[in-house]
Amino acid sequence: MPTPPNPAALPLVPLPTLADPTDATAPHVLLVYTGGTVGMAVNAAGELAPMELSRLDGQMPELARLPLRVSLLSLPEPIDSSNVDPADWLFLAQLIGTHYAGFDGFVVLHGTDTMAYSAAALSYLLEHLGKPVVFTGAQVPVGARRSDAPRNLVTALEIAAARHPRAGTVRVPEVGVFFNDVLIRGTRAKKVESQQFAAFKSENYPPLARAGIGLYFSDKSIRRLPTAPLRVHQRLETSVAVLHLFPGITAAVVEAVLGVPGLRGCVLATYGSGNAPTAAWFTESLRQARARGVWLLNVSQCVEGRVVQGKYETSAALASLGVVGGDDITTEAAVTKLMFVLGLGLGEAHTRQLLGENLRGEITP
Ligand code: ASP
C-alpha cells in the first residue's frame, strides 16, 4: 500500500441489511476491505487481481438478511495479500483504534495467503482488545459461481456482533480468523491449503468457535474480557529474518542470513522439538549473531508439538547460546512477535522475558 491516508478520512459506506441504519440498538460492525481473492476479478491479462470497492458493494445479497448494521470501509488501493507489509498492519491497527468506540466488532476482508501473519500482527498491536476483530476472505471471488465468500463473510459478521446470551457481554474479545466454518485464534492460524475451502488450521490450540446449523462457541478457549482499555501499539521492528534449516545447509547460507547488516531478530526454523546441527561452525555462527545483538527464536518446523530445548543433545547448546525457545508458537506468530517485541525497544532482560512469555495466546505455557 502506498503512503497510508489518515484512517479517519476514509469514507464509511452503510450496506443494506435487515437492520434499520438509524436504529442505534442494532449491533454495528465495521467491515474493512483490504483486498484478496474475495474481491478479485480476472484482469485483461487473465490473472486474478484485486478490484475496487464499488464492484464489491452489491455482490453480497445475503447481507440483506442480517439483523446488524454493517458499514463498509475500503483501503484506497486493495491488494493481493502477498504484498502486505508491516506498515499495512500498523495502519490497520490505527484504523481499528480510530473506530473502536463506534462499533461492536470488526471484520477484515483479507487475502488468505498472509492472513495468518496479519491476524497475528494485529493480535500483538491491539493490546487489551475487548471487541472481536475477525479476519476472513475466500478461495473463490465473491460473485463467482460456488464462491465461499458469502458463507465466510456472513458468519464472520455474526461472530463480530456476538454477545453472551445471558450476560450480554462481548463473546469473542480477540483477533480471529474465520474460514470454512471454523474460528481460529489469530496467533494460532496457519494457511494449509490453496485449493480446498478449508484453507486454515488451528495450530496447537482448539478452535474458538464452529459454525454449523448454529454458532457453537468454545467459551473456555476464548480469552476473557480485558480489564484495561485498548492500547494500540505503533511500532514494529522490520529487520527480522527466518532461517529455515535443512540437511546440507552450509555455513555460507547461515552466515548470509544471520549476517544481514542491522538484523535484530531471526526465527530459527528447527527440526522436531527444536533440534539443530551440532557442528562447530553452526554453533559459532549462532554465537556470533548473538554477540552482535541478534535475537534468535527457536520455532519447530513441525505443525504440531513444541520446542523443548535440551530434550535432545542436538538442542542442548541452544539455550546456553541465548536462543529463546518458542514453545508451540507458529512461524507466523513468531515472526510478528519478534517484530512487535523488538519494536518495543526494551532492555535485554525484558526483551528476553517477553519473547519467551505468552503475550496473546500464541504459546501454551
Ligand atoms: N493471493 C490471494 C491473496 O492472498 C489469495 C487469496 O486471497 O485467497 O490475496
Side-chain angles (χ1 to χ4, degrees), residues 43-313:
N43 66 15
E47 302 146 347
L48 277 172
M51 62 183 181
E52 302 218 328
L53 171 70
S54 53
R55 306 226 1 229
L56 190 69
D57 187 13
Q59 300 248 29
M60 294 175 282
E62 296 79 6
L63 296 186
R65 293 197 205 106
L66 275 176
L68 315 170
R69 290 177 292 156
V70 179
S71 294
L72 177 60
L73 179 155
S74 174
L75 296 195
E77 287 183 44
I79 54 169
D80 184 300
S81 76
S82 300
N83 283 319
V84 83
D85 69 24
D88 297 326
W89 298 333
L90 294 173
F91 180 75
L92 273 178
Q94 224 187 321
L95 181 86
I96 289 168
T98 302
H99 290 288
Y100 193 67
F103 290 88
D104 296 283
F106 303 84
V107 171
V108 181
L109 277 176
H110 192 288
T112 59
D113 287 349
T114 59
M115 193 185 287
Y117 289 89
S118 296
L122 267 286
S123 304
Y124 297 121
L125 291 173
L126 300 172
E127 187 173 2
H128 307 306
L129 182 67
K131 295 182 180 184
V133 175
V134 185
F135 279 76
T136 195
Q139 297 277 59
V140 178
V142 69
R145 220 170 42 242
R146 302 183 53 251
S147 172
D148 50 337
R151 186 168 148 218
N152 289 342
L153 177 61
V154 165
T155 311
L157 288 166
E158 287 181 311
I159 291 171
R163 297 200 159 247
H164 281 280
R166 256 173 274 150
T169 48
V170 171
R171 195 90 197 231
V172 190
E174 294 215 25
V175 177
V177 167
F178 180 77
F179 217 89
N180 196 50
D181 292 343
V182 184
L183 179 68
I184 300 168
R185 171 169 288 165
T187 50
R188 297 287 188 160
K190 180 175 278 296
K191 184 172 179 183
V192 290
E193 180 52 80
S194 63
Q195 297 290 322
Q196 307 295 322
F197 286 140
F200 289 90
K201 177 177 166 57
S202 185
E203 195 171 322
N204 287 318
Y205 197 74
L208 305 183
R210 288 184 188 276
I213 293 171
L215 269 177
Y216 309 106
F217 292 94
S218 174
D219 290 324
K220 63 178 189 323
S221 303
I222 298 172
R223 279 168 86 92
R224 301 238 159 85
L225 276 166
T227 47
L230 177 73
R231 177 171 176 206
V232 181
H233 290 269
Q234 273 304 301
R235 261 215 81 207
L236 289 168
E237 170 58 62
T238 55
S239 191
V240 302
V242 178
L243 178 60
H244 192 102
L245 301 183
F246 57 91
I249 194 166
T250 60
V253 170
V254 171
E255 272 153 30
V257 176
L258 295 181
V260 168
L263 189 70
R264 296 287 327 284
C266 183
V267 169
L268 278 186
T270 57
Y271 310 123
S273 43
N275 306 320
T278 49
W281 66 263
F282 182 76
T283 313
E284 183 53 21
S285 294
L286 299 191
R287 199 193 58 72
Q288 284 181 14
R290 285 293 303 132
R292 289 192 298 272
V294 178
W295 285 95
L296 300 171
L297 187 54
N298 186 355
V299 178
S300 174
Q301 294 174 16
C302 293
V303 183
E304 299 286 341
R306 59 171 48 231
V307 164
V308 185
Q309 295 192 143
K311 179 175 177 188
Y312 287 85
E313 197 183 21

